[in-house]
Amino acid sequence: MASSSTSVVVSNKEKENKNTKKVTLKSSDGESFEVDESVAMESQTIKHIIEDGHYSSLALSLSVKTTMASSSTSVVVSNKEKENKNTKKVTLKSSDGESFEVDESVAMESQTIKHIIEDGCANNEIPLPNVTSGILSRVIEYCKKHKEAAGESEPSVTSYTSNSTTNPLTEWDTEFVKVDQNTLFDLILAANYLDIKGLLDLTCKTVADMMKGKTPQEIRETFHIKNDYTPEEEAEVRKENQWAFE
Amino acid sequence: KVKKSSDEDRISGLSDDILSEILSLLAIKEAVGTCIFSKRWRYVWTFMHRLEFDSFKDFPSMKSDSFTQMVSQVVTLHKGLNLHELRILFNSHQDNSFPHIHRWIAFAILCGTARIELNLSMFRLLSGFCGHPKVTYAIPPDFFDRKNKAVDDIDHYLKHLDSNSAILISRSGRHFGVDNFFSSVRDLSFTQVYLNDQDVENILSNCTSLERLHVETCSTLFSIKHVYHPLKLKCLELFKCWSMTTLEILAPNLVTFGYRGPKINIFLKGVRHLVDLTVTTPLICLDYPKGISYVLDQFSCYFSQLKVLQMEVEAEKAYRNVPELSNLKLLMFYGEKCSKIENSTLIGITSVIMASPVLHRFELHLFRHKPCTGSGGKLISKGPHKYLKEVVLSGFKGLPIEIDFATYLLDNAIALEKMEIITSYIYLLGRRWCVAENNNEVHSRKQAQLFREGLASNNRSKIVVS
């Protein structure tokens, strides 16, 4: 394990804060990197050295140059951070009192929630008085699905003949918005309040599609809009935008 | 708790902001037509975020006077708040519409519109040359000039606007305190509009947030030289500006560059991020080495950073080494109308393919090309290409040279998953792709099927004929 080219310099200095125990790794060209012990232990080699006990000073001459060493430590660090982030959860509470525990990263699809968390006001439970549990569960479903998909797809270079849909979830989205009008409008309001652009775009597009190709009267009927113009007013409006009615 | 009955009018309860978001997804006629629903809806459309007037798509039978009136009416009534985009595609060149066009652009600038497109092109089909316009609209002199003169000009245009534009006028009053009218514009596109060198210089200097500039079919543009202050520009497209003699810009943020015009010396300084290059130069420019050579001369220093490259094919008499395109993922060639595709052309094309080790997709779009004498001859394999997955060959006629080329690709692109053979003609108009029918469609399709049938089964499954 510890071959001729490796040895570890471990500085066992105990800091004021006992929780952050650090080790120092020294590369082959003499540069030192101080990292949290837990992070350094991502390397099995170093882990064994540390766990094996007594050492006053051992030198780890990594047979890699400074830049590589730093890049691997930074990778180690970020992996650890990512791990921690992934398992962090928040609780969202709907207007009717139901709680939903979700991964923080999924909740952060909502810019509103993101700001609340970043401002430190979260306290792990975020009340959403404008969103009922039924709608909130759907919104969470949307965010989860889109968060997963975002991790997987690789933006590809498109040209004429390739399908330029940048959304691989088109089918799923279409199914998602096959709901009654009340739910649809609730989703719009929730997406607006929670500032989730993708969901707002999707729901608005759905409403727009419901309006396309219909006469004004048909649209009124679809959405139960009551025409409250007097005949004179209506004539005036028609005249103002005559071309739209030809 | 309010019980939501199933026939409640929920839509009218949404905010103006959300409703205008929805209306921005509709065609302008439908969107403005919503004013008739009810009193609440009367002015909802005036908050729309985008305004698009495409006379070709949406108003094909409308007379140009009516079109002009319609746009001016909308511009007058629209509140001018939060307008992100104004697109006008209009093919009339009667000079009585010109004052209106001045107003439309003035309106857009005043509203802080981020994206402005004015397309007065007469060309709708490559095959149908609609004729030159009798008069072409020109940007008013010094329109993009930041100094006081422009302020006076816009004020002048405003005076033509009707009373309902009190809002516009009051906003412009605030704007007069603003140093720069043009700081919100991010995307400008002018097609068949006369701009001169000073106009473009003003645009580049004063539109400080400009990310995309597209100028097409402008014969009054001779020189663009802007090298002292780095531009924020990410995308520059100059198509069919046949009078150009000089192009020199300092644009460290440039990612996309598209050019179709005379073979001039092009200096793009500091473009470390350029990844998308489209350069096509027609056959008529005889004073310079042809086709791929021009691109090599001007741009080979960027080859290693490109991810997308589009070029025009020409018959190459002599051929040079192509520097490696180590990042190229998408390569497109297209042959212009009636070009001759010879053996040397294909050698040139395959050289570029072989110089692109990570090439994912290759497209060759031929357009009414002439059959050349003799067959394809030998395309010598330079070794397998380990990465190429997708190939598109359009304008396919079944000529021997095309068959040879397709075979060559099948043999050498060992990772190939799909080869699409399209019999229609696909061509670039500016940066838009259009489709034209192949007159010999039936014959071409038959040839393509025959070719397919004649292949080994593993190759046959990769071919799709459409």
Side-chain angles (χ1 to χ4, degrees), chain B residues 294-305:
Chain B
Y294 174 69
V295 179
L296 281 175
D297 276 350
Q298 300 290 327
F299 301 105
S300 53
C301 47
Y302 307 116
F303 268 21
S304 57
Q305 49 188 84

Side-chain angles (χ1 to χ4, degrees), chain A:
Chain A
M1 168 218 68
S3 68
S4 56
S5 64
T6 57
S7 41
V8 180
V9 169
V10 176
S11 98
N12 231 349
K13 277 189 293 187
E14 291 196 8
K15 311 230 158 183
E16 290 92 65
N17 185 354
K18 282 211 163 115
N19 287 340
T20 56
K21 203 165 170 194
K22 304 248 183 217
V23 296
T24 304
L25 308 174
K26 194 170 165 189
S27 71
S28 63
D29 46 354
E31 200 165 319
S32 296
F33 299 88
E34 192 179 13
V35 295
D36 283 349
E37 188 185 85
S38 56
V39 168
M41 304 249 274
E42 287 280 311
S43 152
Q44 293 299 310
T45 310
I46 297 175
K47 183 166 182 266
H48 291 315
I49 291 174
I50 293 173
E51 284 174 356
D52 273 356
H54 295 295
Y55 47 78
S56 49
S57 74
L58 297 161
L60 174 69
S61 320
L62 299 168
S63 57
V64 291
K65 294 209 189 107
T66 309
T67 46
M68 271 194 71
S70 61
S71 65
S72 51
T73 41
S74 56
V75 167
V76 165
V77 167
S78 64
N79 271 343
K80 199 79 184 168
E81 279 172 9
K82 201 168 162 187
E83 245 173 65
N84 288 336
K85 262 211 178 110
N86 275 347
T87 53
K88 199 162 176 205
K89 300 226 185 245
V90 291
T91 309
L92 306 174
K93 197 162 169 196
S94 69
S95 60
D96 44 344
E98 212 177 306
S99 290
F100 296 84
E101 201 190 43
V102 291
D103 284 350
E104 189 183 85
S105 56
V106 168
M108 305 250 273
E109 289 279 293
S110 152
Q111 294 297 307
T112 308
I113 294 178
K114 184 167 183 266
H115 292 316
I116 293 175
I117 293 177
E118 285 173 349
D119 285 348
C121 311
N123 223 16
N124 273 353
E125 179 167 289
I126 301 175
L128 300 171
N130 291 1
V131 191
T132 62
S133 53
I135 297 298
L136 186 55
S137 68
R138 281 183 201 266
V139 170
I140 291 171
E141 201 189 321
Y142 177 90
C143 293
K144 267 195 191 142
K145 191 75 184 181
H146 278 251
K147 186 76 193 169
E148 272 168 30
E152 288 161 14
S153 65
E154 194 198 281
S156 59
V157 182
T158 56
S159 72
Y160 155 79
T161 39
S162 55
N163 214 345
S164 54
T165 48
T166 44
N167 182 6
L169 290 172
T170 318
E171 270 181 51
W172 189 91
D173 281 350
T174 312
E175 284 305 307
F176 182 80
V177 286
K178 280 188 182 158
V179 292
D180 63 87
Q181 263 191 43
N182 265 327
T183 310
L184 184 60
F185 288 115
D186 284 336
L187 283 172
I188 290 182
L189 291 169
N192 188 46
Y193 169 64
L194 293 171
D195 196 356
I196 305 172
K197 186 173 189 313
L199 183 57
L200 187 59
D201 287 346
L202 174 63
T203 45
C204 283
K205 182 162 191 303
T206 310
V207 176
D209 288 342
M210 285 163 82
M211 292 170 81
K212 280 186 186 158
K214 293 197 170 102
T215 65
Q217 186 52 30
E218 284 168 344
I219 298 178
R220 282 198 198 103
E221 279 162 23
T222 307
F223 295 106
H224 317 291
I225 302 174
K226 186 163 181 298
N227 181 358
D228 55 356
Y229 283 125
T230 66
E232 297 82 26
E233 282 170 340
E234 188 168 327
E236 196 187 310
V237 175
R238 267 183 205 277
K239 193 165 163 228
E240 192 174 59
N241 297 301
Q242 215 167 352
W243 59 272
F245 301 105
E246 275 155 15

Side-chain angles (χ1 to χ4, degrees), chain B residues 30-42:
Chain B
E30 286 179 322
V32 174
T34 62
C35 63
I36 204 74
F37 292 167
S38 70
K39 288 185 188 171
R40 188 265 178 281
W41 282 85
R42 183 163 180 180

Side-chain angles (χ1 to χ4, degrees), chain B residues 76-277:
Chain B
T76 308
L77 288 176
H78 191 276
K79 298 268 188 316
L81 297 170
N82 239 338
L83 185 64
H84 300 314
E85 185 176 332
L86 175 66
R87 281 187 81 209
I88 300 177
L89 292 86
F90 178 33
N91 73 338
S92 167
H93 289 265
Q94 294 171 359
D95 44 22
N96 60 5
S97 61
F98 291 0
H100 288 268
I101 303 178
H102 296 337
R103 274 175 54 192
W104 304 341
I105 312 180
F107 165 76
I109 300 281
L110 270 180
C111 297
T113 309
R115 183 165 179 239
I116 304 175
E117 179 177 340
L118 183 62
N119 181 336
L120 304 178
S121 173
M122 296 281 280
F123 291 81
R124 299 319 285 179
L125 296 164
L126 188 68
S127 52
F129 179 82
C130 306
H132 276 304
K134 289 184 290 239
V135 283
T136 296
Y137 173 76
I139 294 286
D142 297 323
F143 187 82
F144 285 98
D145 191 339
R146 198 158 146 171
K147 299 185 194 68
N148 290 330
K149 195 163 190 306
V151 166
D152 289 342
D153 279 345
I154 296 201
D155 191 33
H156 170 71
Y157 302 131
L158 282 178
K159 290 197 166 63
H160 287 286
L161 294 169
D162 306 341
S163 58
N164 233 329
S165 313
I167 294 163
L168 256 189
I169 292 171
S170 69
R171 185 178 334 105
S172 70
R174 284 205 307 274
H175 263 95
F176 287 172
V178 168
D179 189 29
N180 187 356
F181 265 117
F182 303 104
S183 51
S184 324
V185 180
R186 294 235 274 272
D187 186 329
L188 273 181
S189 172
F190 293 112
T191 305
Q192 192 84 58
V193 170
Y194 280 171
L195 294 158
N196 56 33
D197 295 353
Q198 189 59 48
D199 290 324
V200 174
E201 177 54 40
N202 287 341
I203 290 173
L204 292 178
S205 305
N206 298 324
C207 300
T208 49
S209 308
L210 194 68
E211 291 179 1
R212 177 175 175 258
L213 179 62
H214 176 109
V215 180
E216 190 174 330
T217 319
C218 176
S219 52
T220 49
L221 191 60
F222 297 93
S223 161
I224 297 180
K225 204 164 164 180
H226 191 99
V227 295
Y228 297 115
H229 300 291
L231 293 168
K232 257 190 146 173
L233 215 54
K234 287 189 181 154
C235 171
L236 177 62
E237 292 169 342
L238 296 168
F239 294 120
K240 300 194 249 179
C241 300
W242 301 118
S243 312
M244 291 282 293
T245 58
T246 320
L247 175 56
E248 239 182 277
I249 54 168
L250 174 58
N253 297 308
L254 200 70
V255 171
T256 304
F257 179 66
Y259 180 78
R260 180 175 175 81
K263 289 169 179 158
I264 60 174
N265 279 326
I266 295 179
F267 298 105
L268 305 175
K269 294 189 172 14
V271 289
R272 288 186 316 277
H273 300 291
L274 185 69
V275 293
D276 184 343
L277 183 66

